Amino acid sequence: MAADHDQLFRHTYGQAEHAASLLREALPAPVAAAIDWTSLRLVPGTSIDERLEARHVDLLFAAQLAGRPVLVYLLLEHKSAPDRRTALQLLRYVLRTWDRHLEQDPAARWLPPIVPVVVHHGDRPWRAPRSLGELIRIAGVPPATAAALRLLQPELRLAIDDLASQPEEELLARRGTLLHRLTLLLLQEVRPASARDPVELVDRWRDLWRALWRDRDGRTGLLALFSYLAAQLDTAPERLTAAAVRIHEDARTMGKSIADRLREEGIQQGLRIGKAEGKAEGEREGRVALLMRQLRRRFGAAADACEARVRGATSAQLEAWAERVLVVERLDQLFD
């Protein structure tokens, strides 16, 4: 289940077919044209650094380049703002990859090329340095000395796929697999705790969603995408079911299973809150919190006026109102 950026990215691009779709457009054209994409394979055990922060994903691929092996290092960067030290971070990973290569082949005379790729999907275009050289400052010396020093510095240039600088039409027009395109769209469009409605997101790209549903291997991808929506969006669980039905009536089961899981998580959160505060009705608190969340999504700030009534309701009333909130048109109809 893809609950966050890392999990969704690893689920999609941990598969060579979808990684190839991404890399074909992220790499420089001459490099992409020279790669034998049928040879692309994920290198097992590619955790570059056991201390790597949880917000990063590292995927290392091997492929044939003009008949020779090449390592393509793929890193997802999803900070809220571009990190000016990204080139330095990737240099560490590249060096460790080369170290591992020499450990496995001590007699090797040459190092394989490594292409660092960063996929950026922040809310602003990438403005940070795109190479290691941009981080090195040489000042206060004559120009000839500065030029000589510059030649002696290590260099690493990044291939940055900056989703934040690409309009939606360009992402939709990308080539490659359906799961690849939907993954990029969700990574760029969905923000944590967003009030976006999953139904709106399905309607917006309905052709892609429906095509993925019809794909023989697409159901697993849909489950990952919907799990990501469930974890990221501040939405009523039932809206996930409604969104799934917009794709296909038979997808209702998938949407409902995720909605049930989300509902259970809300109840469990209520249980934890109840335990922490010494309350005996933790499960009921979870139901209250879930219903208020649904009401605010449907009716906005007007829902706050009925919070006292909701908190004073019985468990049976809470259950009945949770079902009725999906069909009433006005807030006052909920309590009739």
Side-chain angles (χ1 to χ4, degrees):
M1 302 297 247
D4 59 23
H5 301 304
D6 287 349
Q7 291 168 319
L8 177 59
F9 194 84
R10 182 172 289 278
H11 172 85
T12 298
Y13 299 114
Q15 304 172 66
E17 175 189 13
H18 306 304
S21 294
L22 176 64
L23 290 169
R24 283 178 190 271
E25 296 187 321
L27 294 173
V31 176
I35 288 179
D36 176 7
W37 293 103
T38 63
S39 71
L40 189 73
R41 63 177 179 83
L42 179 68
V43 178
T46 59
S47 179
I48 300 301
D49 187 348
E50 63 183 10
R51 295 171 299 176
L52 193 66
E53 295 179 40
R55 62 176 177 268
H56 295 290
V57 168
D58 55 282
L59 294 171
L60 187 68
F61 288 89
Q64 293 293 316
L65 178 70
R68 301 181 62 85
V70 59
L71 291 180
V72 179
Y73 180 65
L74 173 63
L75 175 73
L76 166 67
E77 175 59 74
H78 57 82
K79 296 177 182 178
S80 59
D83 185 348
R84 62 178 287 103
R85 296 183 180 179
T86 299
L88 181 60
Q89 294 171 355
L90 266 73
L91 176 63
R92 296 190 186 105
Y93 308 150
V94 168
L95 291 174
R96 289 177 182 133
T97 302
W98 276 331
D99 284 340
R100 185 187 301 117
H101 174 78
L102 294 176
E103 289 172 2
Q104 296 173 351
D105 186 7
R109 296 182 60 194
W110 310 102
L111 296 174
I114 298 177
V115 183
V117 177
V118 177
V119 178
H120 171 247
H121 58 95
D123 54 6
R124 293 175 298 170
W126 184 275
R127 295 289 183 265
R130 294 171 176 257
S131 69
L132 188 65
E134 294 176 67
L135 292 176
I136 300 173
R137 183 172 181 265
I138 301 175
V141 297
T145 304
L149 281 174
R150 181 68 63 187
L151 290 174
L152 295 174
Q153 304 310 303
E155 181 61 292
L156 181 73
R157 297 186 183 278
L158 309 179
I160 297 180
D161 192 358
D162 188 11
L163 305 185
S165 65
Q166 301 172 48
E168 180 181 322
E169 308 82 68
E170 290 186 12
L171 296 181
L172 283 169
R174 285 204 176 195
R175 297 172 296 173
T177 66
L178 296 164
L179 181 58
H180 157 62
R181 283 184 281 167
L182 280 168
T183 295
L184 291 188
L185 287 165
L186 291 190
L187 287 174
Q188 183 56 32
E189 289 290 327
V190 175
R191 296 287 177 255
S194 169
R196 300 285 291 276
D197 187 347
V199 173
E200 179 264 328
L201 293 173
V202 167
D203 285 345
R204 189 166 170 179
W205 311 308
R206 187 179 298 180
D207 290 343
L208 287 179
W209 290 103
R210 289 181 171 177
L212 185 60
W213 170 262
R214 293 192 298 268
D215 187 87
R216 183 182 62 180
D217 300 320
R219 307 297 170 86
T220 301
L222 273 176
L223 183 61
L225 295 174
F226 264 70
S227 297
Y228 177 72
L229 290 176
Q232 296 296 311
L233 298 180
D234 182 15
T235 187
E238 289 75 13
R239 296 303 291 170
L240 293 167
T241 305
V245 172
R246 294 294 188 105
I247 299 173
H248 195 280
E249 179 61 35
D250 292 343
R252 180 188 299 272
T253 302
M254 177 193 69
K256 187 175 184 302
S257 66
I258 297 175
D260 288 344
R261 187 193 68 182
L262 191 62
R263 185 183 297 105
E264 180 63 24
E265 288 175 355
I267 292 174
Q268 291 301 320
Q269 182 181 12
L271 286 169
R272 289 192 295 271
I273 293 172
K275 183 177 180 180
E277 296 179 356
K279 296 179 180 178
E281 296 184 350
E283 181 175 347
R284 183 178 173 284
E285 284 293 313
R287 293 184 182 277
V288 168
L290 180 60
L291 179 56
M292 288 305 303
R293 183 175 169 186
Q294 291 174 293
L295 290 173
R296 291 188 179 104
R297 284 287 297 120
R298 287 293 312 279
F299 304 108
D304 294 337
C306 63
E307 183 170 0
R309 184 168 185 177
V310 171
R311 292 194 173 279
T314 65
S315 296
Q317 286 175 316
L318 290 173
E319 185 173 351
W321 293 344
E323 294 181 359
R324 195 180 303 168
V325 71
L326 302 177
V327 296
V328 296
E329 297 181 357
R330 303 192 313 273
L331 182 57
D332 59 3
Q333 294 175 325
L334 181 69
F335 308 109
D336 290 344

